[in-house]
């Protein structure tokens, strides 16, 4: 039996991971964590009978312990405790944002295999996580596609990789992005995802974060990573080889495929994903993206190239900007403006350790909040 800990079990990736695990033999749900959705977590505890659960709040953890007679922990130390528990073999990391970094690092240091949905951890701390590359499997459809294509290939035969982006809900319209609402931004055309990543997809920041993620996962230079808009989300990514050929991976847009690939790697198993009917596809299109309309992608690549603490500043500013947009405090184009202002002002530290990354994150977050407040007063 493989003991699995799912950090972020009540979110979109967490619930789909539980679906996948229910149909796979040989896995036991050892631990679950949720930030604050105690109701969903309670339902999961009853159904999957884990040994341990972690929540953000101390009182909520105490209540769960009393109610279910189960081992509990809370906060970030709780996440680290679960992720590095000696009984755990495999950690599914689906905590949103910077909070995923420390537990991911501790899980890797403890020798765990990590199925990593929290791309922010690699974006911010790629240099700390990359020595453990062989223990990491990405839960990200594009990177899963690249992993599948590169399987058994000589790295020297790779010219570049091409990440596909759906373009999000506003790729072609409306013209004026300052009028779009949070509700519209959350309506992704092809994927069903959590709130943070849906907004990141609408701004194309998600693709920028994925470029940085790919840089660390495949040891590629930023010049070797291309992005193309592919609105149908059928081709999940491609690899260009030195002989001029391009290989692609195609599948139904269903996260349960990359989740399962990360869980069972290097084995392939039948999955819950619908078979793709090629004859039902009207067309597959590939379009250049417009950086003047979606500046976040370029900002992210710029931060990735700068390295050091710059991606941490970018990520922190983006997390604050996304939350502020969802709360109606800033308009959609201000997400990019806010991120740009924070990274322009950031004092770069090279080769940061975890503490320096935490400091850079906190500093950028505080600056971003200040800017949101200033804008609120103006508006
Ligand atoms: Mg993706």
């Amino acid at each position: 039996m493989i003991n699995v800990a799912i950090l972020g079990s009540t979110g979109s990736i967490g619930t789909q991971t539980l679906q996948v695990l229910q149909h796979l033999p040989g896995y036991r749900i050892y631990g679950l964590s949720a930030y604050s959705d105690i109701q969903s977590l309670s339902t999961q505890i009853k159904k999957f009978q884990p040994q341990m659960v972690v929540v953000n709040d101390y009182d909520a953890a105490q209540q769960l312990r009393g109610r279910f007679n189960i081992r509990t922990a809370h906060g970030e130390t709780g996440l680290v405790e679960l992720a590095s528990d000696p009984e755990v073999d495999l950690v599914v990391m689906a905590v949103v944002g910077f909070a995923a970094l420390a537990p991911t690092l501790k899980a890797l240091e403890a020798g765990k295999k990590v199925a990593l949905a929290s791309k922010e951890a690699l974006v911010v701390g790629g240099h700390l996580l990359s020595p453990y590359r062989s223990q990491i499997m990405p839960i990200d459809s594009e990177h899963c596609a690249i992993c599948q294509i590169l399987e058994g290939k000589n790295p020297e035969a790779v010219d570049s990789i091409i990440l596909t982006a759906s373009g999000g809900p506003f790729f072609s319209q409306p013209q004026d992005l300052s009028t779009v609402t949070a509700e519209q931004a959350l309506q992704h055309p092809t994927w069903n995802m959590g709130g943070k990543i849906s907004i990141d997809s609408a701004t194309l920041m998600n693709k920028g974060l994925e470029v940085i993620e790919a840089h660390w996962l495949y040891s590629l230079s930023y010049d070797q990573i291309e992005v193309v808009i592919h609105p149908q989300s059928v081709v999940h990514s491609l690899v260009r080889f030195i002989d001029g050929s391009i290989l692609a991976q195609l599948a139904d847009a269903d996260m349960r495929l990359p989740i399962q690939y990360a869980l069972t790697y290097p084995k392939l198993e039948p999955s819950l994903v619908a078979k793709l009917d090629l004859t039902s596809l009207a067309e597959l299109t590939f379009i250049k993206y417009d950086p003047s309309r979606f500046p976040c992608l370029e900002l992210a690549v710029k931060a990735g190239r700068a390295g050091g603490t710059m991606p941490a500043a970018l990520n922190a500013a983006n997390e604050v900007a996304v939350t502020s947009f969802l709360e109606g405090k800033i308009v959609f184009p201000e997400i990019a403006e806010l991120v740009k202002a924070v990274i322009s002002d950031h004092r770069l530290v090279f080769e940061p350790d975890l503490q320096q990354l935490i400091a850079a994150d906190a500093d950028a977050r505080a600056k971003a909040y200040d800017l949101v407040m200033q804008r609120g007063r103006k508006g």
Side-chain angles (χ1 to χ4, degrees):
M1 278 298 204
I2 294 170
N3 281 335
V4 185
I6 307 174
L7 277 66
S9 67
T10 57
S12 174
I13 293 292
T15 50
Q16 292 181 82
T17 300
L18 286 166
Q19 276 180 32
V20 170
L21 285 171
Q22 272 182 282
H23 104 106
L24 287 174
Y27 294 82
R28 181 192 291 132
I29 315 289
Y30 179 83
L32 298 172
S33 95
Y35 188 75
S36 57
D37 186 354
I38 305 301
Q39 202 180 342
S40 302
L41 184 64
S42 300
T43 308
Q44 291 178 350
I45 294 170
K46 279 184 225 153
K47 188 163 180 185
F48 298 103
Q49 314 248 311
Q51 307 290 305
M52 178 180 182
V53 290
V54 180
V55 290
N56 187 52
D57 182 64
Y58 172 79
D59 290 335
Q62 291 301 104
Q63 280 168 19
L64 286 170
R65 183 191 309 224
R67 191 168 152 207
F68 293 105
N69 190 24
I70 191 176
R71 183 176 149 211
T72 62
H74 72 280
E76 195 192 282
T77 50
L79 291 179
V80 169
E81 188 183 327
L82 174 56
S84 54
D85 187 293
E87 293 292 319
V88 169
D89 304 300
L90 169 62
V91 176
V92 176
M93 186 60 67
V95 168
V96 178
F98 182 79
L101 177 61
T104 301
L105 184 60
K106 298 300 172 191
L108 292 169
E109 284 172 354
K112 316 296 183 195
K113 185 177 156 185
V114 176
L116 185 64
S118 313
K119 65 192 80 179
E120 292 93 342
L122 264 177
V123 166
V124 168
H127 63 292
L128 298 179
L129 305 188
S130 62
Y132 305 97
R133 170 63 190 92
S134 62
Q135 291 161 244
I136 303 172
M137 280 306 291
I139 296 184
D140 202 339
S141 59
E142 297 79 0
H143 305 74
C144 174
I146 305 283
C147 286
Q148 291 183 59
I149 298 165
L150 291 180
E151 186 71 35
K153 297 283 190 299
N154 179 355
E156 284 171 18
V158 175
D159 174 79
S160 55
I161 64 171
I162 305 165
L163 301 177
T164 52
S166 70
F170 309 131
F171 170 62
S172 46
Q173 50 187 333
Q175 252 342 295
D176 181 6
L177 289 171
S178 64
T179 62
V180 303
T181 63
E183 204 173 43
Q184 291 170 316
L186 289 169
Q187 295 300 316
H188 196 274
T190 49
W191 292 97
N192 178 13
M193 306 180 290
K196 160 81 167 42
I197 188 170
S198 293
I199 303 303
D200 284 348
S201 296
T203 61
L204 288 193
M205 178 59 90
N206 182 52
K207 210 49 53 180
L209 300 179
E210 288 183 355
V211 168
I212 304 175
E213 183 186 7
H215 164 77
W216 290 112
L217 283 175
Y218 308 112
S219 305
L220 294 169
S221 76
Y222 284 99
D223 291 334
Q224 288 176 290
I225 307 169
E226 303 170 41
V227 172
V228 66
I229 304 287
H230 169 53
Q232 295 85 10
S233 299
V234 169
V235 177
H236 295 301
S237 276
L238 314 90
V239 178
R240 194 189 291 279
F241 290 91
I242 51 175
D243 65 354
S245 57
I246 291 179
L247 297 189
Q249 185 256 18
L250 288 73
D252 207 33
D254 186 330
M255 280 311 291
R256 292 176 302 180
L257 193 156
I259 290 169
Q260 179 169 307
Y261 190 85
L263 295 176
T264 65
Y265 180 83
K267 259 172 57 185
L268 276 192
E269 301 277 1
S271 82
L272 300 164
V273 178
K275 272 189 188 167
L276 182 63
D277 176 8
L278 288 173
T279 59
S280 74
L281 303 171
E283 57 178 359
L284 297 176
T285 46
F286 300 93
I287 308 159
K288 249 195 165 97
Y289 76 96
D290 179 359
S292 67
R293 204 165 143 77
F294 299 102
C296 282
L297 170 52
E298 291 210 323
L299 288 172
V301 176
K302 202 172 143 191
R305 284 181 189 268
T309 48
M310 196 59 90
L314 170 102
N315 178 70
N318 184 56
E319 286 187 30
V320 171
V322 168
T323 306
S324 304
F325 171 69
L326 288 173
E327 291 171 352
K329 291 177 182 159
I330 61 173
V331 295
F332 188 82
E334 286 178 322
I335 297 175
E337 288 169 26
L338 201 82
V339 171
K340 189 176 180 185
V342 170
I343 63 172
S344 311
D345 206 28
H346 179 66
R347 243 194 294 153
L348 187 63
V349 178
F350 283 106
E351 297 284 315
D353 59 22
L354 184 58
Q355 289 315 311
Q356 287 170 310
L357 284 173
I358 291 169
D361 172 81
D363 188 48
R365 228 165 258 274
K367 274 183 197 149
Y369 276 121
D370 275 354
L371 288 169
V372 172
M373 297 270 282
Q374 284 170 24
R375 272 159 214 249
R377 276 197 289 274
K378 261 193 287 172

